[in-house]
């Protein structure tokens, strides 16, 4: 690496003021590294939107400087945007740990995207570039192969934590505290640390506590057990499998994402006993206390396996009176209502339900709580600090934690997506912001859904749609029959005959007037219908449906 002199920049393209959509950029002269490329799942008001991804205009403008995309771990909010990024920007190489690599390859295959240059790293890997050197630090998280990274730059070390927690009795590997402390002793100029649980006091519970609680539930219950958890929580799945083995239960897996992660875990040696997983048809020959169903749907997703089971529409599973349903998860903010609906339906079917509470530790977060965030700050001992990965209330709470650990208030930056920090002359200062924002995706490929489309969807969901079908002879310029008006989501046609007749008469009046006015084209005619019909319908009903005129040319036979 070169000596100091030029500025090193840190740019955030996603992950600030939100939970998800993580993407951070470290730049120096002619080299640019991208850290993570996640998605964010849309709120309810983003109707029909499948994913929210980053605006990558900055990366397009600096495409020739991109040297690599480096992935911290395999969760959707860190890898889910890769399929979209590769369609927009040339990425020379992706560096990712083993599990994330397998998940990325599956995504690329599903989306028919050919990309071969994915390099697997581990805790011993050191990536060397002209201006950067990157080393990796093992962390504990809810998915295997999770890493923090130390980026050695001409202007000091930048340490990015990825997602982490400190668990002294983990199911998987321990976080490498010694390596963190060693890097901290070298002197870290800027720390970027996740903030998801900054508002939660204390330490997160160990995954081993969950193991004990689930073991107690599974060993005591004499009927069938249905467990819903995050498919990505591989360690949770691992100890569910081990507990079922100890209690002589076979496992049936439902849900595509759960099936994928189980297969991935088996292929990577995280799970070793393929025989414990059985086909649903084989379950008919087993006693109820010999069966455990592992499924998706812990967040109340309407199409997930558990929701279909609760609704009684699952093709292979019907609930039994002595079933026990275990939610080994907590509702993500915004999902509580959906989860409660599923729970109520389960109770209505007469089954018992276990959810996580202070009395039953059947879930723990994979994200560090306040005391663990302090521990990271103490180990790394940064001169400057930018909290990342969280809503602004989380970032602000994390700032207070950093101040309590001795980081000067003026050295802490609460940033927004698009903000830039510049490292030079042993200082970190704010730089010029870049273009950043949300891009809405419909379908598996990028289909940027603009605000006009979303506005129309909201209108349709609220006031419906009204179609007027017109049969016009273009030669005589006459309306051949009265307009046909039909609606969806506006009014019931059969129950509102008078209203429909009034609208049809109004459309006839508008069309005849336009046809007799001289020159016209179909676009002008459609616009005139919409222009005059909107206020007319609003006055009659107080509603504002989307109006779609459909014009059909009909040339009458001369016979």
């Amino acid at each position: 690496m070169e000596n100091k002199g030029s500025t090193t920049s840190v740019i955030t393209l996603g992950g600030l003021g939100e939970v998800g959509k993580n993407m951070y950029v470290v730049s120096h002269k002619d080299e640019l590294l991208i850290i993570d490329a996640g998605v964010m799942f849309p709120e309810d008001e983003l109707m029909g939107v499948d994913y929210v991804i980053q605006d990558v205009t900055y990366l397009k403008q600096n495409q020739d400087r991109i040297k690599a995309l480096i992935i911290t771990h395999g969760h959707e909010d860190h890898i889910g945007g890769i399929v979209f990024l590769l369609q927009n920007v040339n990425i020379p190489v992706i560096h990712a740990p083993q599990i994330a690599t397998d998940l990325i390859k599956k995504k690329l295959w599903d989306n028919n995207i050919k990309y071969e240059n994915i390099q697997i790293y581990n805790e011993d890997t050191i990536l060397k570039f002209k201006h950067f050197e990157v080393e990796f630090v093992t962390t504990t998280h809810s998915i295997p192969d999770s890493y923090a990274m130390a980026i050695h730059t001409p202007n000091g070390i930048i340490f990015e934590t990825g997602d982490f927690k400190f668990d002294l009795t983990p199911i998987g590997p321990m976080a490498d505290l010694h390596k963190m402390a060693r890097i901290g002793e070298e002197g870290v100029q800027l720390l970027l640390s996740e903030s998801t649980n900054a508002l939660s006091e204390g330490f997160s519970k160990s995954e081993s506590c969950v193991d004990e609680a689930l073991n107690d539930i599974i060993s005591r219950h004499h009927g069938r057990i249905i467990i819903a958890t995050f498919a990505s929580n591989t360690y949770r799945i691992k100890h569910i499998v081990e507990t079922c083995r100890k209690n002589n239960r076979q496992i049936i897996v439902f849900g595509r994402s759960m099936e994928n992660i189980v297969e991935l875990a088996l292929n990577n040696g995280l799970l070793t006993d393929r025989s414990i997983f059985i086909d649903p048809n084989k379950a008919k020959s087993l006693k109820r206390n010999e069966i455990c169903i592992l499924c998706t749907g812990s967040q109340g997703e309407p199409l997930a396996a558990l929701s279909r089971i609760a609704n009684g529409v699952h093709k292979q599973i019907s609930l039994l009176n002595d079933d026990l349903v275990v939610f080994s998860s907590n509702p993500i903010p915004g999902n509580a209502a959906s989860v409660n609906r599923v729970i109520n339906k389960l109770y209505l079917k007469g089954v018992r339900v276990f959810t996580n509470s202070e009395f039953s530790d059947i879930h723990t977060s994979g994200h560090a709580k306040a005391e663990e965030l302090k521990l990271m700050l103490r180990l790394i001992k940064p001169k400057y600090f930018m909290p990342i990965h969280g809503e602004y209330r989380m970032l602000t709470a994390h700032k207070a934690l950093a101040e309590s650990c001795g980081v000067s208030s003026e050295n802490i930056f609460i940033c927004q997506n698009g903000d830039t920090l510049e490292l030079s002359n042993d200082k970190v200062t704010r730089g010029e912001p870049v273009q950043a924002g949300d891009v809405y995706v419909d379908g598996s490929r990028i289909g940027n859904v603009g605000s006009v489309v979303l506005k129309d969807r909201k209108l349709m969901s609220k006031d419906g749609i009204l179609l007027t079908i017109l049969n016009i002879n273009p030669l005589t310029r006459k309306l051949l029959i009265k307009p046909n008006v039909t609606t969806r989501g506006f009014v019931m046609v059969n129950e509102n005959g008078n209203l429909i007749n009034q609208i049809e008469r109004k459309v006839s009046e508008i069309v005849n007037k336009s046809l007799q006015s001289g020159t016209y084209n179909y676009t002008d005619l459609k616009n005139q219908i919409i222009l005059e019909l909107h206020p007319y319908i609003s006055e009659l009903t107080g509603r504002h449906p989307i109006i779609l005129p459909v014009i059909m040319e009909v040339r009458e036979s001369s016979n």
Side-chain angles (χ1 to χ4, degrees):
M1 293 191 303
E2 65 184 50
N3 294 324
K4 294 183 181 181
S6 301
T7 298
T8 302
S9 299
V10 175
I11 302 149
T12 303
L13 296 181
L16 300 184
E18 58 200 9
V19 176
K21 199 160 71 65
N22 291 284
M23 181 180 281
Y24 311 94
V25 174
V26 180
S27 168
H28 189 94
K29 285 190 173 179
D30 59 341
E31 288 191 323
L32 183 155
L33 303 179
I34 307 167
I35 303 171
D36 289 334
V39 296
M40 186 166 64
F41 294 102
E43 300 291 341
D44 289 344
E45 63 265 20
L46 296 179
M47 298 175 180
V49 172
D50 295 314
Y51 305 105
V52 184
I53 59 173
Q54 309 83 2
D55 181 337
V56 294
T57 301
Y58 173 81
L59 297 180
K60 290 179 183 177
Q61 293 169 345
N62 293 273
Q63 190 162 250
D64 59 332
R65 299 170 56 222
I66 297 172
K67 299 303 173 186
L69 167 63
I70 307 174
I71 300 299
T72 57
H73 65 284
H75 277 154
E76 284 295 296
D77 55 338
H78 296 260
I79 68 168
I82 291 176
V83 293
F84 308 112
L85 181 65
L86 291 176
Q87 294 174 54
N88 278 276
V89 180
N90 179 40
I91 304 296
V93 59
I94 298 174
H95 295 283
Q98 180 68 64
I99 298 298
T101 296
D102 290 349
L103 290 167
I104 293 166
K105 286 181 176 178
K106 180 72 168 63
K107 285 181 175 294
L108 297 176
W109 172 265
D110 289 344
N111 288 276
N112 198 28
I113 295 174
K114 292 183 179 179
Y115 185 87
E116 303 298 333
N117 200 14
I118 304 178
Q119 304 293 325
I120 298 171
Y121 72 77
N122 58 33
E123 65 274 10
D124 299 320
T125 302
I126 295 178
L127 304 179
K128 293 187 177 183
F129 304 89
K130 184 166 68 174
H131 305 306
F132 302 117
E133 188 172 288
V134 184
E135 61 178 321
F136 299 96
V137 184
T138 300
T139 57
T140 302
H141 191 40
S142 55
I143 190 171
D145 285 346
S146 295
Y147 292 90
M149 67 183 75
I151 305 170
H152 299 260
T153 81
N155 288 290
I157 298 173
I158 299 169
F159 193 90
E160 208 271 16
T161 66
D163 288 358
F164 74 97
K165 65 184 288 187
F166 288 114
D167 188 342
L168 301 182
T169 54
I171 300 298
M174 266 280 295
D176 194 339
L177 303 177
H178 301 290
K179 195 169 187 178
M180 291 178 189
R182 188 263 295 166
I183 293 169
E185 287 300 322
E186 288 181 31
V188 171
Q189 189 73 351
L190 176 64
L191 170 65
L192 312 179
S193 181
E194 76 132 319
S195 310
T196 315
N197 271 345
L199 292 161
S200 301
E201 296 180 357
F203 281 88
S204 59
K205 291 186 177 72
S206 170
E207 191 68 29
S208 297
C209 296
V210 179
D211 196 10
E212 292 172 12
L214 285 173
N215 183 65
D216 187 56
I217 291 169
I218 291 172
S219 62
R220 287 172 179 268
H221 187 64
H222 299 296
R224 196 170 57 173
I225 294 177
I226 302 171
I227 301 177
T229 191
F230 294 109
S232 61
N233 197 335
T234 318
Y235 291 129
R236 183 73 46 78
I237 294 168
K238 177 180 171 67
H239 66 61
I240 288 170
V241 170
E242 291 171 352
T243 303
C244 284
R245 186 187 296 110
K246 282 188 280 185
N247 290 276
N248 298 314
R249 286 184 184 264
Q250 301 285 98
I251 298 175
I252 308 168
V253 179
F254 285 118
R256 185 183 175 199
S257 58
M258 189 68 76
E259 291 167 0
N260 288 341
I261 206 74
V262 165
E263 187 63 29
L264 183 149
L266 286 166
N267 292 340
N268 282 280
L270 293 164
L271 300 175
T272 55
D273 184 6
R274 205 175 273 272
S275 66
I276 197 169
F277 298 100
I278 61 169
D279 186 89
N281 294 322
K282 190 180 176 183
K284 296 172 184 176
S285 63
L286 298 175
K287 297 176 182 177
R288 293 179 187 177
N289 65 353
E290 295 175 338
I291 298 170
C292 176
I293 295 169
L294 183 60
C295 66
T296 55
S298 66
Q299 297 303 301
E301 305 96 317
L303 298 179
L306 186 60
S307 292
R308 288 184 282 124
I309 291 170
N311 289 325
V313 295
H314 198 284
K315 292 180 179 178
Q316 295 168 291
I317 295 294
S318 296
L319 288 169
L320 306 170
N321 288 335
D322 60 349
D323 281 346
L324 173 65
V325 178
V326 179
F327 282 80
S328 187
S329 62
N330 279 338
I332 294 171
N335 289 351
S338 300
V339 173
N340 287 335
R341 276 195 294 272
V342 173
I343 291 172
N344 282 325
K345 288 175 182 176
L346 291 167
Y347 275 115
L348 193 61
K349 299 280 186 180
V351 302
R352 291 175 61 203
V353 179
F354 256 102
T355 58
N356 189 46
S357 71
E358 59 182 309
F359 306 110
S360 59
D361 297 328
I362 54 177
H363 176 67
T364 184
S365 176
H367 299 275
K369 290 188 177 180
E371 295 304 312
E372 296 155 271
L373 295 175
K374 289 181 188 176
L375 178 55
M376 179 64 79
L377 284 156
R378 291 297 190 186
L379 288 168
I380 301 302
K381 298 187 291 189
K383 184 177 179 182
Y384 293 89
F385 174 54
M386 180 175 79
I388 60 171
H389 195 330
E391 299 169 2
Y392 290 117
R393 60 197 177 106
M394 301 166 186
L395 305 180
T396 303
H398 204 172
K399 177 186 178 183
L401 296 175
E403 290 172 348
S404 73
C405 291
V407 183
S408 300
S409 178
E410 61 269 20
N411 288 3
I412 302 172
F413 298 91
I414 302 291
C415 295
Q416 302 178 50
N417 292 335
D419 283 356
T420 298
L421 296 183
E422 294 185 341
L423 289 72
S424 63
N425 300 319
D426 284 328
K427 291 184 178 180
V428 177
T429 56
R430 289 185 182 269
E432 287 296 316
V434 305
Q435 181 173 326
D438 293 342
V439 173
Y440 302 134
V441 177
D442 249 333
S444 60
R445 294 189 179 271
I446 294 179
N448 192 0
V449 184
S451 58
V452 174
V453 174
L454 288 175
K455 182 180 177 182
D456 283 349
R457 289 179 180 177
K458 288 175 183 177
L459 282 171
M460 282 190 280
S461 71
K462 181 182 176 184
D463 288 334
I465 185 170
L466 183 142
L467 285 82
T468 66
I469 302 171
L470 311 170
N471 291 277
I472 294 175
N473 186 326
L475 301 177
T476 61
R477 290 168 60 182
K478 287 184 178 179
L479 189 61
L480 298 177
I481 57 174
K482 74 172 185 175
N484 179 19
V485 172
T486 186
T487 77
R488 290 293 183 272
F490 172 53
V491 294
M492 290 289 289
V493 174
N494 294 339
E495 297 175 6
N496 292 273
N498 289 337
L499 174 63
I500 298 300
N501 288 335
Q502 285 179 271
I503 294 172
E504 287 175 346
R505 284 196 295 271
K506 182 64 176 177
V507 174
S508 295
E509 177 187 316
I510 297 167
V511 172
N512 287 327
K513 183 174 65 176
S514 297
L515 292 175
Q516 293 166 12
S517 65
T519 59
Y520 81 99
N521 59 55
Y522 289 148
T523 300
D524 290 341
L525 179 56
K526 288 179 181 180
N527 290 336
Q528 191 64 32
I529 292 170
I530 294 168
L531 184 67
E532 293 192 39
L533 205 54
H534 260 306
Y536 181 75
I537 292 174
S538 176
E539 187 177 341
L540 288 176
T541 66
R543 301 179 70 183
H544 304 85
I546 289 180
I547 297 170
L548 291 180
V550 177
I551 298 176
M552 302 177 68
E553 285 190 347
V554 180
R555 287 176 167 80
E556 293 177 298
S557 173
S558 58
N559 293 333

